[in-house]
């Protein structure tokens, strides 16, 4: 089972890797720049190369880089779209130093435009950035559908895929809190939700799962994460996600509201619960 957490990268990539090892992650997620966006530091080749070497030598692979939250490549404002695409391009340049991993981003918010227009912008941006020789895979995250968020339904993500020139270089990251808040009942009908995903997007597109509990009921469109077993999805249902035959070989990343040590405890609890059920 590939299970890890979003780890803080504030002390540098190598220190972060060591933190992840300490809490027994065999996959992880992190920001490669300030999560609120803005200018990235200059490329530190030696740090990136050393980080890549550590990953290759460890069980902790593949890993996920999360794009800054402020990125909105479908904004009606041209400068916001442009700035988002620049950040994505730079992040992917850094990821070329540790090939074979995932770059996850939020499709964005339409803010006032028709969803169709926003989806055109997302696809245009990706078509501009993604190259056939790229060794990283870009992932669209399923969203809760809060406000004008794109990606609150599987159909919307599929519409973005239909507009891509290189759809084989793009996948989907399923966030359990987001799909639950978006109205997909993974507690009572996980099979049904996954079959629907397969019908609309194709299960082969699913590359990573964000494993989060949710503070709110199914369909609330809120996007407030809860600790594992502390929300309305619950420990049992999250364990069924982890062990589902369609999902069990994917990397699972916790984004629950706690620190690295707290994530370590949740990872331990999930592993023990699943082991006890076997
Ligand atoms: Fe996210
Ligand atoms: Fe997420
Ligand atoms: Zn979220």
């Amino acid at each position: 089972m590939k299970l890890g957490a979003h780890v803080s990268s504030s002390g540098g990539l190598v220190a972060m890797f060591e933190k992840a090892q300490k809490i027994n992650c065999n996959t992880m997620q992190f920001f490669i720049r300030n999560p609120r966006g803005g200018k990235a530091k200059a490329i530190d080749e030696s740090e990136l190369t050393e980080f890549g070497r550590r990953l290759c030598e460890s069980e902790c692979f593949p890993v996920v880089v999360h794009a800054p939250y402020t990125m909105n490549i479908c904004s009606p404002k041209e400068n916001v779209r442009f700035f988002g695409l620049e950040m994505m391009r730079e992040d992917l340049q850094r990821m070329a130093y540790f090939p074979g991993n995932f770059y996850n981003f939020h499709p964005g918010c339409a803010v006032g435009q028709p969803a169709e227009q926003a989806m055109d912008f997302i696809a245009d941006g990706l078509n501009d950035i993604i190259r056939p020789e790229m060794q990283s895979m870009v992932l669209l995250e399923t969203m809760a559908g809060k406000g004008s968020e794109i990606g609150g339904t599987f159909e919307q993500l599929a519409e973005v895929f239909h507009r891509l020139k290189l759809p084989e270089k793009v996948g989907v990251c399923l966030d359990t809190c987001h799909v639950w808040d978006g109205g997909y009942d993974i507690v009572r009908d996980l099979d049904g939700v996954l079959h629907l995903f397969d019908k609309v997007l194709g299960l082969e597109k699913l590359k990573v799962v964000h494993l989060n509990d949710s503070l709110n009921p199914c369909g609330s469109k809120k996007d407030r994460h809860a600790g594992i077993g502390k929300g309305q999805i619950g420990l049992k249902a999250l364990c069924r996600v982890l062990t589902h035959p369609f999902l069990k070989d994917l990397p699972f990343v916790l984004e629950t509201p706690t620190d690295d040590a707290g994530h370590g405890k949740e990872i331990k609890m999930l592993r023990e619960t699943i082991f006890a059920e076997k």
Side-chain angles (χ1 to χ4, degrees):
M1 183 164 72
K2 284 265 163 214
L3 178 58
H6 186 104
V7 181
S8 138
S9 53
S10 51
L13 294 178
V14 177
M16 172 194 71
F17 172 79
E18 285 165 358
K19 268 189 281 181
Q21 296 288 92
K22 231 180 253 167
I23 58 169
N24 290 313
C25 291
N26 53 7
T27 181
M28 63 172 161
Q29 177 176 278
F30 52 98
F31 294 119
I32 207 161
R33 68 168 72 222
N34 185 321
R36 278 170 287 279
K39 262 213 143 342
K41 285 181 271 171
I43 287 194
D44 182 342
E45 287 211 20
S46 69
E47 183 193 25
L48 288 163
T49 309
E50 171 65 6
F51 176 64
R53 196 180 63 77
R54 296 283 193 107
L55 285 183
C56 284
E57 286 175 352
S58 76
E59 300 277 290
C60 193
F61 189 88
V63 297
V64 186
V65 172
H66 198 301
Y69 291 134
T70 52
M71 179 185 280
N72 187 8
I73 68 166
C74 66
S75 167
K77 293 183 183 155
E78 191 184 13
N79 63 321
V80 175
R81 291 199 302 277
F82 182 81
F83 187 59
L85 290 172
E86 274 316 292
M87 290 197 286
M88 189 182 283
R89 210 185 309 271
E90 283 177 10
D91 289 353
L92 286 165
Q93 256 166 27
R94 284 169 171 74
M95 288 184 71
Y97 289 86
F98 49 98
N101 295 295
F102 298 112
Y103 185 71
N104 175 64
F105 79 106
H106 295 176
C109 293
V111 259
Q113 313 161 96
E116 296 290 316
Q117 172 68 264
M119 290 186 282
D120 282 341
F121 281 142
I122 297 166
D124 289 349
L126 293 177
N127 286 336
D128 192 36
I129 283 184
I130 294 169
R131 302 267 78 97
E133 65 277 10
M134 238 174 58
Q135 300 288 306
S136 308
M137 182 175 259
V138 175
L139 306 181
L140 295 154
E141 183 167 350
T142 59
M143 302 310 292
K146 190 172 67 180
S148 64
E149 252 171 17
I150 300 295
T153 63
F154 299 157
E155 284 78 7
Q156 270 191 345
L157 293 179
E159 284 197 50
V160 176
F161 275 100
H162 291 145
R163 292 161 160 85
L164 295 177
K165 285 187 198 144
L166 296 169
E168 67 279 10
K169 307 293 277 184
V170 183
V172 175
C173 168
L174 184 142
D175 186 308
T176 53
C177 168
H178 297 175
V179 293
W180 167 261
D181 284 17
Y184 296 98
D185 191 345
I186 54 170
V187 174
R188 279 158 218 91
D189 190 20
L190 178 59
D191 277 327
V193 172
L194 293 177
H195 279 109
L196 185 65
F197 186 103
D198 192 36
K199 202 178 98 192
V200 177
L201 281 157
L203 270 173
E204 70 285 351
K205 284 265 160 257
L206 184 51
K207 303 295 179 188
V208 172
V209 175
H210 283 166
L211 197 73
N212 301 309
D213 214 325
S214 171
L215 280 180
N216 295 294
C218 185
S220 61
K221 300 200 186 311
K222 286 270 171 64
D223 188 4
R224 297 279 311 278
H225 301 191
I228 302 297
K230 291 182 179 160
Q232 306 224 12
I233 300 176
L235 177 61
K236 274 217 171 105
L238 290 170
C239 284
R240 286 198 295 271
V241 171
L242 267 172
T243 54
H244 194 283
F246 291 170
L247 308 175
K248 64 179 179 40
D249 299 320
L250 298 174
F252 293 88
V253 177
L254 304 174
E255 298 174 311
T256 47
T258 180
D259 55 7
D260 295 335
H263 284 140
K265 284 184 196 150
E266 289 184 329
I267 289 169
K268 188 161 176 272
M269 174 181 70
L270 285 163
R271 288 213 168 104
E272 284 171 356
T273 308
I274 282 163
F275 187 75
E277 279 170 358
K278 269 185 188 160

